[in-house]
Amino acid sequence: MMEPIITVRDVTTRFGTNHVHDKLSLTINQGEIYGLLGPSGCGKSTLMREMILLENFESGSITLLGRDINTISAFEAQELRKQWGVLFQSNALFTSLSVAENISIALKEYTSISQKLIDEIVAFKIDIVGLKQSDGKLYPSQLSGGMKKKAALARALAMDPKLLFLDEPTSGLDPISAREFDALIVNLKEMLQLSIIMVSHDLNSIKTTLDRMAVIDHKKIAAEGTLDEVMAVTSPFIQTFFTTYSKHLR
Amino acid sequence: MHSGSAKLIIETGDDKYIFHFSGLLRVGNLDQIETVLNAQEECLVQKEIILDFVEVDELDSAAVLLILSTMKKMQLQGCESTLSFDNEEFEQLFKMVEKHAHLDTSFTCIVPSFVEKIGKKASDRVKGLLQFLAFFGQLSMAMLLYLRSFRAIRWKEIVFEMNESGIKALGIISLTMFLVGIVIAYQSSVQLKIYGANIFIVDMLGISILRELAPMLTAIVVAGRSGSAYAAQIGVMKITEELDAMRTMGFDPYAFLVLPRVLALMLMMPILIFFADIMGVVGGMLIAHIELGLSPTLFLERFSNVIDIRHFWVGIVKGPFFAILIASIGVFRGLMVKNDTQSIGFNTTKSVVESIFIVIICDAIFSIFFTHMGI
Ligand SMILES: Nc1ncnc2c1ncn2[C@@H]1O[C@H](COP(=O)(O)OP(=O)(O)O)[C@@H](O)[C@H]1O
Ligand SMILES: [Mg+2]
């Protein structure tokens, strides 16, 4: 159960003169919900984008599902991409396709199963993320913020990935929808045995959903571990981030 | 992990069928299994079926959905099917998927019939025309309101747009017109030489360039450059709700976006045509010199003698009219963008095609009008 699914070793990232990561290392285990935390602009999204092959890093290595992404071939990379789902911070739904088409596009591209089975898979995905079946025919512009998140999550789950990346999944949602979404993520993890990596600022999400987490601060990992382990670390950022809210947390 | 495949072996008995699944039953390798199952379920009537998952290494929700929908069909044909696993997780997965499954749903839209398509297209066209007329009315009203007071005119935006769609287009328009002048002069010089009517190249070039070619080509280049840019920019602003943001802040999009563009183009178009005139004539003069041995001095002397100033004015007067058509169609197409990215491409293309078409129609009307007026 506790085998690593992603290991990041000494990753250094620079955008021009902007030094973002300085020798970051962390380990994400199979079957856990892992959080990337830290102040805004500390490079959480960047680290996630590096894991999903959207961004290059200067030095270090990332091993994903047993493959070192520095040395994989284009073919292997393509195979990897089919094994994860990504929920972007801004949803990134295809605006000219309906929700059902957004979900089915990968199925149509990568499998040769019948349209009937595709529709059944789409209906199932729409149901598990908590949308109504009739929402399937709507276009992204006709959805509310929370529904868009759910539709994007359903699209991320389309190929039954074992690995799910979520970039600030609850930002922009009202507290009630945000809590529902947290519950949904935990539920999905249980139901589909996912490993989930998520970026979050939301203290409630952090408390209720995350199994383990890493706090990035000043280009480094300030702390890694469970919530209690992280809160035991004495770093100015962790103190201000957690202790001011600790009353509200407990 | 992904290099395995899924297998289905069917063990047949008299009344009892056993389906042995094995391997990785994942969405990527389901197609063959689906074909086999579909072929089987036709001929299975009133049989006892056991679906055996003992040998299965991996199972995902898509595979479970396939099994469930097959079982449902078999049940309708009087078969009795039972699942067999020795894996707690698979059993849980089946229960979970069954709870959330909606078998036999379809998201495919009904394809409209041929007649329906024609009708829809026709009504869309009419609607589009009416919408354009409404837009044009609104634009005219805004223009009247706006030009009522000199101080309300947004000179900064207008000058910015004059630079963007006017000054920056000078290079390409000059080059285009210079080349067109060369081409026209070259083609006609061949014909004129036969009759020894070399000197008439001046009359020909002067009238055709000043009256028709320069305004038309300028309009076409401007439609391609600026009309499309207006459509795309305003379209994206609509999608990103920037237009709504402007409205809520009390900035009328007509005053801030539409009128500056229309006015800037109306002011710049005659100037662009003027430059196009010059470059076209220069191109023609060059060829007249090379091909027909007509010196520039002689060319220009003849030019001032035979080409009436009214020909120049006819070309220039068309400018503001073409400008208002191009700018308003570009902006209108931008406002027609719906909330998806595809409609940006669609409307940008439309803006160019429609504005060039309308410019040509407008030019034809001018031709008839001027001829009747004897200008
Ligand atoms: N494509 C890029 N080009 C230049 N700088 C970038 C780029 N992407 C991110 N950055 C910079 O990297 C830093 C980390 O950004 P990001 O990972 O988005 O932060 P966050 O932790 O808030 O998600 C920021 O300082 C940002 O300005
Ligand atoms: Mg971010």
Side-chain angles (χ1 to χ4, degrees):
Chain A
M1 193 64 192
M2 288 296 273
E3 47 187 307
I5 193 163
I6 300 176
T7 38
V8 176
R9 283 285 156 264
D10 297 333
V11 164
T12 301
T13 313
R14 234 185 281 262
F15 290 110
T17 53
N18 184 5
H19 199 162
V20 181
H21 302 137
D22 182 18
K23 298 204 171 207
L24 288 194
S25 297
L26 51 88
T27 310
I28 300 167
N29 295 320
Q30 185 152 13
E32 68 186 6
I33 304 186
Y34 191 95
L36 293 173
L37 321 179
S40 207
C42 71
K44 305 180 294 293
S45 296
T46 305
L47 185 61
M48 185 175 276
R49 288 169 63 84
E50 286 167 352
M51 291 178 190
I52 54 179
L53 311 176
L54 288 176
E55 199 91 61
N56 293 320
F57 42 93
E58 193 177 278
S59 64
S61 71
I62 296 179
T63 312
L64 232 141
L65 298 166
R67 278 178 196 74
D68 184 346
I69 64 172
N70 283 325
T71 57
I72 57 172
S73 65
F75 176 75
E76 282 179 313
Q78 197 61 15
E79 285 301 311
L80 267 184
R81 287 191 182 102
K82 290 183 204 168
Q83 296 185 44
W84 66 53
V86 183
L87 171 60
F88 287 93
Q89 202 166 348
S90 55
N91 305 321
L93 287 167
F94 301 120
T95 50
S96 49
L97 302 179
S98 69
V99 171
E101 287 166 334
N102 262 287
I103 301 170
S104 65
I105 190 164
L107 292 165
K108 281 186 184 144
E109 192 61 34
Y110 292 129
T111 70
S112 23
I113 53 181
S114 68
Q115 182 63 42
K116 177 176 179 290
L117 183 55
I118 288 181
D119 278 342
E120 284 168 358
I121 294 173
V122 169
F124 169 71
K125 301 286 142 91
I126 286 180
D127 193 290
I128 48 172
V129 298
L131 289 171
K132 291 197 298 289
Q133 290 301 310
S134 55
D135 297 335
K137 287 196 175 168
L138 299 180
Y139 284 83
S141 57
Q142 298 167 312
L143 303 179
S144 72
M147 287 160 83
K148 276 185 200 158
K149 290 261 184 228
K150 287 177 180 170
L153 183 63
R155 184 181 69 178
L157 292 170
M159 294 288 286
D160 266 279
K162 285 283 161 241
L163 193 53
L164 198 58
F165 292 91
L166 312 171
D167 195 350
E168 305 204 14
T170 53
S171 70
L173 295 185
D174 65 88
I176 295 169
S177 309
R179 297 294 74 76
E180 276 178 5
F181 207 86
D182 285 342
L184 173 65
I185 288 168
V186 175
N187 213 350
L188 284 177
K189 183 211 137 187
E190 296 297 327
M191 287 198 294
L192 305 172
Q193 285 152 22
L194 300 168
S195 307
I196 299 176
I197 294 94
M198 65 188 244
V199 172
S200 185
H201 285 304
D202 189 329
L203 280 152
N204 280 302
S205 302
I206 292 169
K207 189 181 180 212
T208 55
T209 58
L210 300 185
D211 295 319
R212 286 172 68 242
M213 63 203 80
V215 179
I216 305 176
D217 193 23
H218 287 96
K219 310 169 197 166
K220 297 265 192 195
I221 300 286
E224 190 187 7
T226 61
L227 183 60
D228 290 330
E229 284 165 5
V230 167
M231 282 176 70
V233 174
T234 45
S235 128
F237 173 72
I238 292 172
Q239 299 303 322
T240 41
F241 190 65
F242 287 109
T243 48
T244 41
Y245 293 95
S246 59
K247 277 194 218 104
H248 150 89
L249 264 177
R250 267 136 209 265
Chain B
M1 187 173 176
H2 50 278
S3 57
S5 66
K7 262 207 217 91
L8 168 58
I9 298 165
I10 300 170
E11 197 183 313
T12 29
D14 285 344
D15 278 335
K16 195 168 166 186
Y17 282 65
I18 307 178
F19 287 39
H20 292 286
F21 294 93
S22 61
L24 308 178
L25 258 65
R26 294 186 53 82
V27 62
N29 354 328
L30 280 183
D31 46 331
Q32 273 168 6
I33 297 222
E34 193 189 10
T35 334
V36 176
L37 284 178
N38 279 343
Q40 283 295 325
E41 69 197 16
E42 300 295 314
C43 45
L44 288 178
V45 182
Q46 308 230 314
K47 298 270 157 53
E48 192 189 335
I49 293 158
I50 294 172
L51 299 155
D52 168 27
F53 293 90
V54 175
E55 296 288 305
V56 171
D57 301 318
E58 253 185 61
L59 191 65
D60 74 1
S61 66
V64 173
L65 279 167
L66 173 62
I67 307 290
L68 287 176
S69 89
T70 310
M71 281 169 68
K72 190 178 164 195
K73 252 186 268 166
M74 288 174 169
Q75 202 175 20
L76 288 178
Q77 296 174 28
C79 296
E80 202 170 302
S81 46
T82 38
L83 296 162
S84 115
F85 353 64
D86 61 357
N87 186 331
E88 183 80 14
E89 276 176 20
F90 290 176
E91 213 171 327
Q92 297 261 319
L93 185 67
F94 260 92
K95 282 208 189 99
M96 188 275 288
V97 174
E98 201 166 4
K99 205 169 85 193
H100 293 281
H102 296 257
L103 301 176
D104 302 322
T105 35
S106 169
F107 293 99
T108 34
C109 303
I110 306 140
V111 183
S113 73
F114 183 63
V115 178
E116 195 179 337
K117 268 190 214 159
I118 294 182
K120 193 160 168 8
K121 274 253 163 78
S123 88
D124 282 352
R125 285 288 145 86
V126 174
K127 236 192 275 169
L129 185 69
L130 292 179
Q131 271 169 331
F132 182 71
L133 289 179
F135 165 80
F136 208 78
Q138 213 167 352
L139 180 68
S140 312
M141 282 303 294
M143 186 124 48
L144 285 179
L145 275 175
Y146 184 65
L147 295 180
R148 217 178 29 184
S149 98
F150 189 78
R151 292 229 322 273
I153 298 177
R154 308 196 62 84
W155 292 108
K156 214 176 111 205
E157 278 86 357
I158 294 181
V159 171
F160 176 81
E161 287 300 333
M162 280 167 79
N163 183 37
E164 280 300 309
S165 38
I167 315 268
K168 288 188 181 172
L170 261 181
I172 183 73
I173 287 173
S174 303
L175 182 65
T176 313
M177 211 44 220
F178 179 70
L179 294 175
V180 168
I182 286 179
V183 171
I184 301 283
Y186 198 81
Q187 290 299 327
S188 24
S189 67
V190 176
Q191 308 298 323
L192 290 170
K193 244 194 274 186
I194 301 172
Y195 301 101
N198 293 8
I199 193 73
F200 286 104
I201 193 155
V202 180
D203 309 43
M204 232 204 87
L205 284 178
I207 294 180
S208 62
I209 288 177
L210 296 192
R211 283 185 78 111
E212 294 294 333
L213 289 173
M216 276 299 283
L217 271 156
T218 309
I220 288 170
V221 172
V222 168
R225 259 186 106 256
S226 308
S228 59
Y230 295 170
Q233 191 192 352
I234 292 183
V236 174
M237 288 181 82
K238 197 173 166 195
I239 288 189
T240 54
E241 295 182 294
E242 284 174 59
L243 287 185
D244 296 339
M246 288 178 71
R247 283 204 187 93
T248 55
M249 291 160 89
F251 305 151
D252 178 19
Y254 277 88
F256 277 72
L257 296 173
V258 181
L259 284 175
R261 284 176 167 75
V262 175
L263 290 176
L265 216 51
M266 283 175 73
L267 289 172
M268 282 314 286
M269 203 62 172
I271 298 173
L272 290 174
I273 294 174
F274 176 60
F275 276 92
D277 285 345
I278 296 174
M279 294 309 290
V281 171
V282 167
M285 199 156 71
L286 183 75
I287 294 302
H289 184 56
I290 296 170
E291 283 293 308
L292 303 172
L294 219 61
S295 76
T297 334
L298 196 62
F299 188 101
L300 288 178
E301 200 184 300
R302 169 91 187 160
F303 197 93
S304 58
N305 286 340
V306 295
I307 307 295
D308 229 15
I309 190 71
R310 67 192 157 93
H311 297 308
F312 169 73
W313 286 121
V314 164
I316 295 291
V317 158
K318 290 176 181 175
F321 290 91
F322 289 177
I324 208 169
L325 290 174
I326 293 169
S328 57
I329 288 176
V331 172
F332 170 71
R333 279 289 155 200
L335 293 173
M336 282 294 104
V337 166
K338 290 198 215 58
N339 277 322
D340 69 272
T341 42
Q342 216 165 31
S343 76
I344 294 185
F346 173 81
N347 279 294
T348 311
T349 314
K350 276 262 171 185
S351 77
V352 177
V353 174
E354 283 175 354
S355 51
I356 291 178
F357 180 66
I358 297 279
V359 160
I360 291 174
I361 290 183
C362 178
D363 193 53
I365 295 173
F366 269 123
S367 270
I368 298 168
F369 174 75
F370 285 132
T371 316
H372 269 275
M373 299 289 290
I375 302 172

